[in-house]
Amino acid sequence: MGYGGDMRVKIRFFAAPREAMGMGEIEQVLPAGATVGELLDALTAQYPVLVPYAGFIRVAVNRVYAGREAELHDGDEVAWLPPVGGG
Amino acid sequence: MKLFEVTTKSISVDEVIARLADPAIGALTTFIGVVRNNSEGREVLYLDYEAYPEMAEEALRQIGDEIRARWKTIREVTIVHRVGRLEIGETAVVIALSAAHRQETFDALRYAIDRLKEIVPIWKKEVWKGGEEWKSEQ
């Protein structure tokens, strides 16, 4: 845990939103108990370039798909995943 | 030897199929995805694939688990996906299934590629003359 009950999570970006961000990874400090949805809202407020992608993404927490209601923990790796297109 | 792999190296279909070698099998059913030179009327120059590699390999393994839970006759599954810049005609993905008999391998193979396009965190950028675009079938 960080100071004052805050926690720190890592966010990874891929494909188009990674290019829009100009980087593949950032760290974000959040209040303890914050959810995926609260993180997404904080990110789109802080990085307006993400807004066009926000409606289409899925999120993984520690490599497992997670919903907006999922609670985050200090040290989590959150991935911002645009629609996949392998094969 | 990994059965579920994301690699930056060129894929040898023979080498992937050899991962399923087993004297008890009578069928090896394989899908090979290759880079096509056109898309929606455009002339594609090359593709650039990107993965979340650690999660992608876990998702490929999950597909293998789902197949073997659903079709008890499928003995083993291997899926290898390449990432990075791929030229026209190069192999992007190989999926191979082994079984004693062929019957259920075709349905299982279709499931594997459909599921890959649905859950595996891999992205494809088409690059054509004068532009580029990240593509998804979702």
Side-chain angles (χ1 to χ4, degrees), chain B residues 2 7 11 15 26 31 33 36 39 42 50 59-60 64 68-69 77-78 80-81 97 99-100 107 116 121-122 136:
Chain B
K2 282 166 112 170
T7 180
I11 299 176
E15 187 277 322
F31 171 79
R36 190 180 55 231
S39 173
R42 291 192 183 103
E50 176 174 339
L60 293 175
R68 293 196 300 167
V77 180
T78 183
V80 180
H81 202 302
L97 306 167
D107 284 346
L116 185 151
I122 294 178
S136 171

Side-chain angles (χ1 to χ4, degrees), chain B residues 25-136:
Chain B
I25 64 171
L28 260 176
T29 304
T30 305
F31 171 79
I32 305 166
V34 298
V35 178
R36 190 180 55 231
N37 73 354
N38 66 89
S39 173
E40 295 164 14
R42 291 192 183 103
E43 185 190 347
V44 174
L45 299 176
Y46 64 90
L47 298 181
D48 210 340
Y49 283 94
E50 176 174 339
Y52 180 7
E54 309 93 322
M55 183 177 170
E57 289 190 346
E58 288 176 16
L60 293 175
R61 183 173 302 107
Q62 179 188 330
I63 293 171
D65 290 345
E66 289 174 2
I67 286 171
R68 293 196 300 167
R70 188 161 167 180
W71 290 280
K72 301 297 184 193
T73 59
I74 303 298
R75 197 169 181 93
E76 199 57 84
V77 180
T78 183
I79 308 176
V80 180
H81 202 302
R82 187 172 166 195
V83 294
R85 175 174 167 156
L86 273 73
E87 307 297 333
I88 307 304
E90 287 195 296
T91 298
V93 61
V94 175
I95 303 173
L97 306 167
S98 63
H101 304 282
R102 70 183 180 283
Q103 279 81 359
E104 292 185 322
T105 61
F106 300 103
D107 284 346
L109 188 63
R110 172 187 283 270
Y111 178 87
I113 184 62
D114 288 349
R115 203 75 177 115
L116 185 151
K117 288 175 178 288
E118 190 174 69
I119 68 163
V120 178
I122 294 178
W123 299 271
K124 169 167 59 185
K125 183 161 69 175
E126 287 179 0
V127 180
W128 60 86
K129 281 176 190 159
E132 56 182 43
E133 188 180 8
W134 291 96
K135 303 292 284 190
S136 171

Side-chain angles (χ1 to χ4, degrees), chain A residues 15-66:
Chain A
R18 173 186 58 72
E19 291 179 334
M21 284 290 284
M23 54 191 154
E25 196 177 307
I26 60 170
E27 280 200 339
Q28 186 83 5
V29 175
L30 293 165
T35 62
V36 165
E38 288 162 352
L39 170 64
L40 297 182
D41 292 344
L43 288 174
T44 49
Q46 198 171 338
Y47 302 97
V49 293
L50 291 175
V51 171
Y53 305 102
F56 304 97
I57 59 157
R58 282 187 285 177
V59 170
V61 177
N62 301 327
R63 306 176 194 175
V64 177
Y65 287 111

Side-chain angles (χ1 to χ4, degrees), chain A residues 4-5 10 12-13 22 26 29 37-39 41 45 49 52 62 71 73-74 77 79-80:
Chain A
K10 179 162 87 176
R12 292 178 68 174
F13 297 97
I26 60 170
V29 175
E38 288 162 352
L39 170 64
D41 292 344
V49 293
N62 301 327
E71 196 173 307
H73 301 92
D74 193 48
E77 178 172 296
W80 169 289

